[in-house]
Amino acid sequence: MERREQSQKMLGVIPQYSVTSRHDAPALTPREKFRLMARGTINPFEFVATGLQAGISQATDEFPGYGEGATGYSKRYGAALADQTSSQFFSNYFYPVLFKEDPRYFRLGEGNVKHRILYSLEQEFVVVNDNRTRGFNFSNVLGAFTSGALSNAYYPAEERTWGDTLNRSSIALVYGSAGGLVDEFWPDIQKKWAEHRKKKKDARNQQ
């Protein structure tokens, strides 16, 4: 079960290495947290997604200080990749080791939809500690703000205000909460889709 979860991918492409349905999953060692962080950072999908993000950023003229053309695109790609890497490092490794927190998303997997939505949204701020108690998710929150602060080293000068930094960090937390919704409900969507395809196949076979 654990090995299967560690290799799961949404749509066969999008990694979900840090998602588990096991509420009794043993705590990760620092080495395992590093491996989880590395797998979430160094995989083909992340590089492709970063390229798409950089393309959208250039198309909408986000961060005009980077300029246009190939040079502007390469700067946007580098910035997006640095954001992704630093976020993974601090939120899934450095702070989880420092505060003894588990960086994985623990799926609820049962109950009514409203309860599961609220549960998934609050997981950005509630964490399972290594001693299996629950507490405030310092790793996610500090990880987002640390990554946001570090981005001032490579973002255009006009994008380095405290307001911009807080805005980027807050958006990262919002995206994290949205990601929690996907992590929570994707297996259900996948199951419904499989059942729908089976019904269609059975209907064709009966004709």
Side-chain angles (χ1 to χ4, degrees):
M1 176 69 174
E2 185 175 357
R3 180 171 296 180
R4 189 179 72 214
E5 286 186 332
Q6 290 174 348
S7 62
Q8 63 188 356
K9 293 183 179 181
M10 187 168 62
L11 299 175
V13 177
I14 305 173
Q16 287 192 306
Y17 304 138
S18 60
V19 180
T20 180
S21 297
R22 298 179 58 197
H23 290 270
D24 62 344
L28 300 175
T29 65
R31 183 175 181 178
E32 288 172 329
K33 290 175 183 179
F34 180 84
R35 187 183 303 126
L36 184 67
M37 178 275 297
R39 294 188 71 192
T41 303
I42 307 172
N43 66 78
F45 173 80
E46 295 299 338
F47 292 110
V48 173
T50 299
L52 291 174
Q53 181 182 343
I56 294 173
S57 178
Q58 180 144 333
T60 58
D61 198 27
E62 186 180 24
F63 309 128
Y66 283 145
E68 298 296 333
T71 299
Y73 178 81
S74 64
K75 290 179 179 179
R76 288 179 174 85
Y77 184 92
L81 187 61
D83 285 348
Q84 164 68 9
T85 302
S86 66
S87 177
Q88 284 280 348
F89 176 78
F90 287 107
S91 295
N92 289 338
Y93 174 66
F94 181 81
Y95 286 126
V97 171
L98 180 65
F99 293 108
K100 294 180 171 54
E101 297 176 346
D102 198 314
R104 291 172 293 184
Y105 177 88
F106 288 78
R107 291 187 65 244
L108 185 60
E110 59 184 13
N112 62 62
V113 173
K114 181 180 179 180
H115 178 59
R116 291 177 67 188
I117 289 175
L118 292 175
Y119 170 86
S120 64
L121 292 175
E122 74 176 13
Q123 295 317 293
E124 193 70 6
F125 304 96
V126 178
V127 73
V128 175
N129 297 305
D130 287 349
N131 62 7
R132 311 336 273 162
T133 61
R134 286 184 173 270
F136 182 75
N137 199 332
F138 288 101
S139 296
N140 272 353
V141 176
L142 290 180
F145 282 94
T146 302
S147 181
L150 284 178
S151 67
N152 289 321
Y154 49 82
Y155 272 39
E158 62 272 16
E159 304 288 342
R160 298 178 185 176
T161 68
W162 278 108
D164 291 324
T165 301
L166 291 175
N167 185 54
R168 288 193 294 270
S169 302
S170 300
I171 289 175
L173 291 173
V174 171
Y175 283 160
S177 295
L181 288 171
V182 175
D183 293 337
E184 179 65 34
F185 289 102
W186 172 247
D188 303 276
I189 297 172
Q190 189 176 38
K191 181 180 179 181
K192 290 291 185 182
W193 176 244
E195 291 174 350
H196 175 70
R197 293 183 62 183
K198 185 177 184 300
K199 287 180 180 179
K200 289 184 66 176
K201 183 178 180 181
D202 292 343
R204 287 197 300 267
N205 291 336
Q206 292 174 2
Q207 291 178 352

